[in-house]
Amino acid sequence: MEIPKYEIDEWISILKPYQREIILSLVDTYGAEEAINQWMMANGPVDTVKFGGMPEGEKNKFSDRFKIEINKFICGHPSYSGYREEYSKFNAGTKTALVSSISPFLGAKLGVSVSILAPAIVITLYLVGKMGVNAYCSAVELD
């Protein structure tokens, strides 16, 4: 699977306007990898739990679950082989289609909304494109 190498601004441009501003601010403040964690741990309205369903004060496991699943997808875990074949057909000009296709699949697997996952997927694809799939996957454990 090839992941196109775009600058973060190009990846973020496919997000909804309100997401772009927040994600760009998080990336500027924390760096790309930590921005994923910060996005996943963001609080919604008062008196609700975080996106990962964890009560206040507990470690947010949702970010970890997301990383496990996206890494399996990108790095070739056998459980994702059919999906990887499908997504390998996308070319470098289809970053919107790539994110739009991965988001609902992972959303269903993790039980969360596409709008929550899309920014994290965008940042992950930026990191993978920047490093290259082989370099990225060499630092990832799949099981």
Side-chain angles (χ1 to χ4, degrees), residues 4-102:
K5 183 177 182 178
Y6 292 113
E7 293 299 320
I8 191 70
D9 292 338
E10 294 173 280
W11 278 109
I12 290 174
S13 72
I14 68 173
L15 297 174
K16 295 177 182 179
Y18 76 92
Q19 292 172 324
R20 281 184 224 144
E21 294 174 22
I22 295 168
I23 294 300
L24 194 53
S25 175
L26 290 173
V27 170
D28 287 345
T29 303
Y30 298 102
E33 191 169 343
E34 181 58 24
I36 296 169
N37 294 329
Q38 293 296 318
W39 173 260
M40 297 296 193
M41 293 188 315
N43 285 309
V46 177
D47 297 327
T48 62
V49 293
K50 296 178 182 184
F51 292 144
M54 302 297 289
E56 192 67 36
E58 288 187 26
K59 182 178 180 217
N60 187 337
K61 300 281 185 192
F62 180 66
S63 182
D64 294 338
R65 289 179 41 226
F66 166 77
K67 288 177 185 176
I68 289 167
E69 294 305 320
I70 192 79
N71 289 342
K72 284 181 177 180
F73 176 80
I74 291 169
C75 299
H77 191 274
S79 64
Y80 287 87
S81 62
Y83 296 102
R84 284 177 48 86
E85 284 180 35
E86 180 182 337
Y87 297 119
S88 68
K89 298 174 187 171
F90 291 113
N91 64 39
T94 60
K95 61 184 176 283
T96 301
L98 184 61
V99 173
S100 299
S101 299
I102 295 171

